Amino acid sequence: MKPFTKKVITIISDIPSGKVMTYGQIAKLAGSPKGARQVVRVLHTMSKPYDLPWHRVINSKGEISIQDEVLASLQKQKLHQEGVPTTSPLKIDLKHYQHHPEEWIDDVNII
C-alpha cells in the first residue's frame, strides 16, 4: 500500500463523530494538496475493508457530493444521527462541523 493511501486511511479513521472533513483537506494533510480525487478513490476501495467513516467526508463546498440518491440519503442520515444537521438538503455548515486536526501525520502515526 502506498504511503499516501495509508495516511488517507489514518486521517479518515480519526475524524470524530459529529465532525466532517473535505476531500481536499484530507489530501493536503496526507501530503498531496491536489489529491482530492485520490481521496475519493481510497474511500471507494478501502471504506469496507478498513471500516472507514466514509459519511464524514464531504466536498469543499460543504456538500454531500455522492450522486447516487440512495447513498446520499444514507450519508445525510448517518450525519444527522451524529448531530450534524444539513442547512439545505445536502449542505453542512463547515464553520461549525469541520474537523481541523493538527498536521500530525508522519511516519510514526501511519497504520
Side-chain angles (χ1 to χ4, degrees), residues 3-8 11 24-33 39 105:
F4 176 79
T5 301
K6 289 180 183 181
K7 288 178 182 180
V8 168
I11 293 165
Q25 179 186 13
I26 293 166
K28 183 178 178 182
L29 279 174
S32 183
V39 172
I105 302 299

Side-chain angles (χ1 to χ4, degrees), residues 12-107:
I12 294 170
S13 295
D14 288 342
I15 302 171
S17 178
K19 294 290 184 177
V20 296
M21 289 182 74
T22 68
Y23 299 103
Q25 179 186 13
I26 293 166
K28 183 178 178 182
L29 279 174
S32 183
K34 295 183 180 185
R37 288 186 183 183
Q38 291 301 96
V39 172
V40 173
R41 179 193 55 80
V42 171
L43 272 173
H44 181 72
T45 59
M46 302 296 193
S47 286
K48 276 191 178 182
Y50 287 89
D51 196 27
L52 297 177
W54 61 270
H55 61 283
R56 297 178 188 151
V57 183
I58 59 175
N59 71 22
S60 61
K61 297 176 186 175
E63 297 171 340
I64 293 172
S65 59
I66 295 175
Q67 298 300 310
D68 181 273
E69 212 172 291
V70 173
L71 286 177
S73 179
L74 177 61
Q75 184 174 11
K76 179 179 173 180
Q77 177 186 1
K78 286 178 163 283
L79 288 170
H80 284 196
Q81 289 171 346
E82 293 183 357
V84 179
T86 47
T87 57
S88 66
L90 299 174
K91 189 157 177 84
I92 291 106
D93 182 353
L94 288 176
K95 288 184 182 181
H96 289 96
Y97 297 101
Q98 187 171 19
H99 179 54
H100 295 281
E102 295 190 29
E103 295 189 32
W104 55 267
I105 302 299
D106 58 31
D107 292 337

